[in-house]
Amino acid sequence: MPEPGSVWGGSRLDLDAYLARIGFQGDRRPTLETLRHLHARHSAAIAFENVDVVLGRPVPLDLETLQTKLVHRHRGGYCYEQNLLYAAALDRLGFQVSGLGARVRMGDDRLRPVTHALLKVEIDGEDFLTDVGFGGSGLLEPLPLRDGIEARQGGWTFALAREKDTRTWALRFRTATGWTDLYAFGTEQRYPVDYTVFNHYISTHPRSPFVRRLVVQRPLPGLRAALIGRQLTRTRPDWTTEVRDIPPQETPDVLASAFGITLSAPDAAALVAFQRDSLAGDAP
C-alpha cells in the first residue's frame, strides 16, 4: 500500500507557482489556519468551468496537465480537476488528506450516483471537510465534520447533518427560503483512480449535466456568479439577483472579467461557435 498522502503526488507539484496563482502568502505549516487560508484563496482565484467538456475534449486528471491548465494557463476546472490539484498542494504542505465521493442533491431527494469529488483533512485528531470544486454554492472555508454544525462563511451559511437512516452526511446551504441539501457523502476513502472513472462519465455521457451546456461558477464572500448556458446570474447574500443573457460573441470577455478565466484565441473562437450553435438549437 502507498504511504498516506502519496497518492496525491504532492512531491511533483510546483508549489510556489500554485500558491502564486491563488494569491496565498503566509504560514505554510499544516495548521487549521493555513487550511482555511488555502481553501479561501483557491475558491476565490480558480473558477469552476467545463469549457473543455462542451468543446468535446478529454479532461485528463494527471497532475502535470492540471498544473499546466489551472496554474500556468489561468483556466478553471470542475470538481475532479480542482480538488486533485488542491489535494496535491495539501499533501505537499504536510496535511493528512483523504478523498471522498458525494451524491449531488441540490435540493432534490432522488438517489443519484456518486459523481462529486471532495476532500477530508485531519488536523490534531479532528476531521474537516474541505471542497474547492463544487462551484457556485460551494464552501468558502473548511467545515468541521460535526453533526449539526452551522457556519457563516462570508455572507453565506452552511451546515452539516448526519443522516441516521443511511449513516451518510449531508452538506446543507441556507437559501432565501430555507435549508437545501447540496450533496450527501459517506466516509469511504476514494482515490485518484476512482475520480478517473467518475470523470469519464461526467465528461462524456449524454445525460451528464456538463456535456450539453456551458457551466461557469465562482463563489465569493459577497457574490456568487454563474454563467449557465447563456444566462449570467449574480446573487448577493441578501438574495438580490441580477440576470442577463450573454450574446455568444461576448462569452470569452465575460469569462475573463467575471470569472478570471483566460482563454486562448482558438479556445475563445471554439466556445463562441459552441454558444452560437446552442442558440440556433433553441430556435423554434
Side-chain angles (χ1 to χ4, degrees):
M1 292 292 292
E3 291 297 318
S6 64
V7 295
W8 307 111
S11 62
R12 304 194 311 275
L13 178 72
D14 185 344
L15 183 62
D16 290 338
Y18 168 78
L19 296 180
R21 169 73 168 96
I22 67 173
F24 177 93
Q25 295 178 336
D27 192 345
R28 297 188 181 188
R29 291 176 296 172
T31 65
L32 179 55
E33 187 60 29
T34 301
L35 182 66
R36 284 175 174 156
H37 194 183
L38 285 165
H39 186 143
R41 292 307 310 155
H42 184 121
S43 294
I46 305 180
F48 182 104
E49 54 108 326
N50 69 329
V51 171
D52 287 340
V53 176
V54 298
L55 295 183
R57 297 172 181 169
V59 183
L61 298 182
D62 62 280
L63 184 56
E64 290 70 26
T65 299
L66 296 179
Q67 289 187 91
T68 298
K69 179 180 177 180
L70 277 68
V71 176
H72 301 300
R73 291 172 51 203
H74 280 237
R75 284 282 303 278
Y78 60 3
C79 68
Y80 311 115
E81 298 171 286
Q82 298 255 15
N83 279 321
L84 281 170
L85 178 67
Y86 180 51
L90 296 177
D91 179 34
R92 176 70 178 272
L93 290 166
F95 287 96
Q96 291 184 272
V97 188
S98 299
L100 302 176
R103 303 178 190 273
V104 175
R105 288 182 173 172
M106 294 300 291
D108 189 336
D109 289 337
R110 288 179 299 169
L111 183 64
R112 294 175 175 175
V114 175
T115 57
H116 178 61
L118 62 152
L119 303 174
K120 181 183 72 172
V121 171
E122 181 182 340
I123 300 176
D124 296 330
E126 183 169 18
D127 290 333
F128 292 84
L129 176 67
T130 186
D131 178 5
V132 296
F134 196 66
S137 301
L139 292 168
L140 301 180
E141 298 179 6
L143 197 60
L145 197 58
R146 299 179 204 155
D147 187 21
I149 191 169
E150 293 185 18
R152 187 78 169 172
Q153 298 185 355
W156 319 96
T157 303
F158 297 87
L160 278 172
R162 185 73 182 273
E163 299 179 336
K164 302 299 189 295
D165 53 340
T166 61
R167 300 185 64 80
T168 60
W169 294 85
L171 177 66
R172 315 192 75 196
F173 181 63
R174 181 177 288 161
T175 70
T177 57
W179 290 103
T180 187
D181 288 358
L182 298 180
Y183 54 71
F185 62 97
T187 55
E188 178 186 353
Q189 189 164 349
R190 309 285 181 164
Y191 299 92
V193 66
D194 299 314
Y195 299 147
T196 298
V197 175
F198 302 161
N199 177 56
H200 177 70
Y201 171 84
I202 286 296
S203 63
T204 64
H205 198 282
R207 298 179 67 177
S208 165
F210 298 116
V211 169
R212 291 170 290 179
R213 64 178 181 173
L214 182 66
V215 179
V216 187
Q217 300 173 323
R218 191 180 197 182
L220 297 171
L223 176 69
R224 291 180 179 262
L227 178 60
I228 310 296
R230 295 178 303 278
Q231 190 173 83
L232 177 65
T233 304
R234 300 175 187 266
T235 305
R236 301 190 182 279
D238 62 1
W239 298 104
T240 56
T241 302
E242 305 167 12
V243 181
R244 71 182 181 97
D245 286 338
I246 304 300
Q249 67 273 16
E250 294 182 16
T251 305
D253 289 339
V254 170
L255 263 58
S257 61
F259 301 96
I261 294 172
T262 302
L263 295 181
S264 67
D267 285 354
L271 184 60
V272 168
F274 172 84
Q275 293 291 79
R276 283 182 177 148
D277 289 346
S278 65
L279 184 62
D282 289 345

